C-alpha cells in the first residue's frame, strides 16, 4: 500500500494529482467547481498552490525568447525565458540585469537564435555568454517601436 497516503497530509497523492490537473487545465474558480463535483476538497487558493514548476532544462532551447516583465510596475522587474518553438516558459529570473541573463546562458548552452526586445542588458548578456547565437528582435517589439509613416 505504499504511496496510498503520506504522513501529516489531508489528502492522498491521487487526490492532489487530480486537483493539480484541474488547476493546470482550468485555473482557480473553474477548477474549484470541478473539484466540488468530484467531491475533492479543493478551494480556489489551494488549487492555485498545487501546480509544480516544471524542471529547468540543462540545455537552452534552440530558439530562446528573452523578455522583461514587471513584478511591480515601476519598481521591480524580472526576466522570462521562453522556448519560442513550443511557446512554453523555460525559466524566470528575479531581475533584468546583464549578469543574471549571462550567468543563465553560461549554465544552459545551446541557444542558436535569441529572440529579444531592445533592452541593452540583454544585448550585452548575449554577446558575453552566447556570442555565436543569432540575435533577432521579436515581431511585437518591432511593431511597437518602429515608426509608421
Amino acid at each position: 500500500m505504499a504511496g496510498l497516503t503520506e504522513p501529516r497530509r489531508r489528502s492522498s497523492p491521487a487526490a492532489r494529482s487530480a486537483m493539480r490537473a484541474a488547476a493546470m487545465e482550468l485555473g482557480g474558480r473553474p477548477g474549484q467547481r470541478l473539484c466540488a463535483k468530484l467531491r475533492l476538497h479543493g478551494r480556489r487558493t489551494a488549487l492555485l498552490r498545487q501546480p509544480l514548476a516544471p524542471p529547468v532544462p540543462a540545455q537552452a532551447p534552440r530558439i530562446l525568447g528573452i523578455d522583461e516583465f514587471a513584478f511591480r510596475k515601476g519598481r521591480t522587474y524580472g526576466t522570462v525565458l521562453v522556448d519560442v518553438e513550443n511557446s512554453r516558459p523555460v525559466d524566470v529570473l528575479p531581475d533584468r540585469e546583464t549578469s543574471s541573463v549571462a550567468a543563465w546562458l553560461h549554465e544552459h548552452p545551446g541557444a542558436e537564435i535569441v529572440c529579444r526586445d531592445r533592452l541593452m542588458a540583454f544585448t550585452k548578456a548575449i554577446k558575453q555568454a552566447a556570442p555565436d547565437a543569432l540575435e533577432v528582435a521579436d515581431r511585437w517589439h518591432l511593431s511597437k517601436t518602429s515608426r509608421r509613416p
Side-chain angles (χ1 to χ4, degrees):
M1 294 300 212
L4 185 62
T5 62
E6 293 176 349
R8 294 176 289 285
R9 289 285 191 162
R10 291 183 171 204
S11 58
S12 69
R16 280 196 314 280
S17 176
M19 289 190 297
R20 187 176 302 119
M24 291 299 291
E25 294 298 323
L26 301 174
R29 291 185 201 285
Q32 180 181 357
R33 288 192 297 271
L34 176 63
C35 286
K37 291 194 184 294
L38 296 174
R39 301 197 186 276
L40 295 171
H41 181 68
R43 302 191 79 169
R44 179 179 58 90
T45 54
L47 285 176
L48 294 176
R49 286 191 302 265
Q50 285 294 323
L52 300 174
V56 178
Q59 189 169 354
R62 190 176 74 81
I63 303 175
L64 178 68
I66 301 177
D67 202 0
E68 63 182 328
F69 69 96
F71 287 110
R72 188 167 175 201
K73 192 164 185 147
R75 300 191 183 232
T76 312
Y77 289 89
T79 302
V80 64
L81 303 163
V82 178
D83 182 348
V84 175
E85 292 178 308
N86 297 331
S87 299
R88 295 200 180 260
V90 175
D91 203 354
V92 176
L93 304 179
D95 56 27
R96 57 181 180 182
E97 301 296 321
T98 301
S99 58
S100 300
V101 177
W104 193 92
L105 288 170
H106 273 298
E107 294 171 10
H108 304 87
E112 296 174 17
I113 301 171
V114 180
C115 182
R116 61 165 184 82
D117 67 1
R118 294 184 177 181
L119 188 67
M120 203 62 181
F122 296 157
T123 304
K124 290 177 183 176
I126 294 165
K127 289 200 186 312
Q128 287 176 11
D132 296 332
L134 175 66
E135 290 183 62
V136 295
D138 65 3
R139 188 175 25 198
W140 189 87
H141 286 96
L142 281 177
S143 67
K144 294 298 177 185
T145 58
S146 65
R147 290 188 178 178
R148 295 191 177 159

